[in-house]
Amino acid sequence: MKSAVCPGSFDPVTYGHLDIIERASAHFDQVIVAVLANRSKSSLFTNEERIAMIRENTKHLPNVVVDSWYGLLVEYCRTHGVTTIVKGLRAVTDFDYELQMAQINYQAARVETMFMATSPTHSFLSSSIVKELAHFGGDVSTMVPPNVDEALRKRVAGK
Ligand code: PNS
């Protein structure tokens, strides 16, 4: 069985992430969405909340599972027998960082990274932008699914 991991902090998941996950699921027997810690970002949602939001929006994809891991991505891959990472590339601004990560992960564990071009309709989207908009009362309903929109509103309101 050929599996791939779609890693990210998903804080929270956006339509951009979901587009990549769905498209990846058409090319692999199993896609594992791995919620990981990105130590350079502070999080708004707990791991459990992020997982629940992703599960709700991938339940129509039978070969997608959602998991979390605290540690190196390559350790997750090694432990679960996965040799392919799939990541979305939005624009050239993503490239330097993603290339570095791909090279580190290959060097460390011979795990390959495959990049998928983000759909142009989502190329400006990021979890950080969504959080910033939501924080100041902006409308993010075209950027995230309804359950994420609702969770953002509640979190911003302090609930
Ligand atoms: O959605 P993000 O924040 O761009 O995802 C980045 C993430 C979580 C995939 C990356 O930070 C990661 O792989 N974190 C786990 C620790 C790790 O393996 N770091 C890379 C080697 S230094």
Side-chain angles (χ1 to χ4, degrees):
M1 183 163 82
K2 192 69 193 159
S3 297
V5 63
C6 282
S9 37
F10 302 109
D11 185 48
V13 71
T14 68
Y15 281 135
H17 296 129
L18 292 167
D19 173 52
I20 296 294
I21 293 165
E22 179 150 8
R23 285 162 56 202
S25 76
H27 296 275
F28 292 89
D29 299 314
Q30 183 186 50
V31 169
I32 305 168
V33 182
V35 177
L36 297 164
N38 182 339
R39 287 177 10 92
S40 61
K41 296 178 182 170
S42 57
S43 53
L44 184 64
F45 294 103
T46 66
N47 267 4
E48 291 69 29
E49 289 169 330
R50 291 183 240 173
I51 289 169
M53 287 188 266
I54 301 168
R55 283 208 176 117
E56 176 65 24
N57 290 289
T58 53
K59 63 185 181 197
H60 61 294
L61 302 170
N63 63 336
V64 172
V65 295
V66 189
D67 200 0
S68 72
W69 180 257
Y70 187 81
L72 290 175
L73 174 56
V74 288
E75 281 308 319
Y76 183 89
C77 292
R78 207 175 280 164
T79 309
H80 293 79
V82 181
T83 55
T84 310
I85 295 166
V86 174
K87 290 220 83 177
L89 269 189
R90 286 168 297 196
V92 72
T93 42
D94 282 342
F95 187 72
D96 283 352
Y97 173 76
E98 294 298 346
L99 178 67
Q100 187 184 23
M101 287 302 114
Q103 289 169 331
I104 287 170
N105 290 333
Y106 184 77
Q107 170 126 334
R110 296 290 180 264
V111 176
E112 294 283 5
T113 299
M114 296 188 179
F115 293 114
M116 199 174 273
T118 298
S119 154
T121 44
H122 301 123
S123 59
F124 62 94
L125 255 183
S126 73
S127 299
S128 306
I129 289 285
V130 163
K131 284 186 280 192
E132 180 79 358
L133 279 165
H135 179 80
F136 291 110
D139 180 4
V140 296
S141 60
T142 58
M143 303 174 193
V144 296
N147 66 328
V148 177
D149 192 5
E150 191 187 337
L152 277 164
R153 283 171 203 274
K154 283 187 178 157
R155 190 55 44 94
V156 165
K159 291 180 200 159

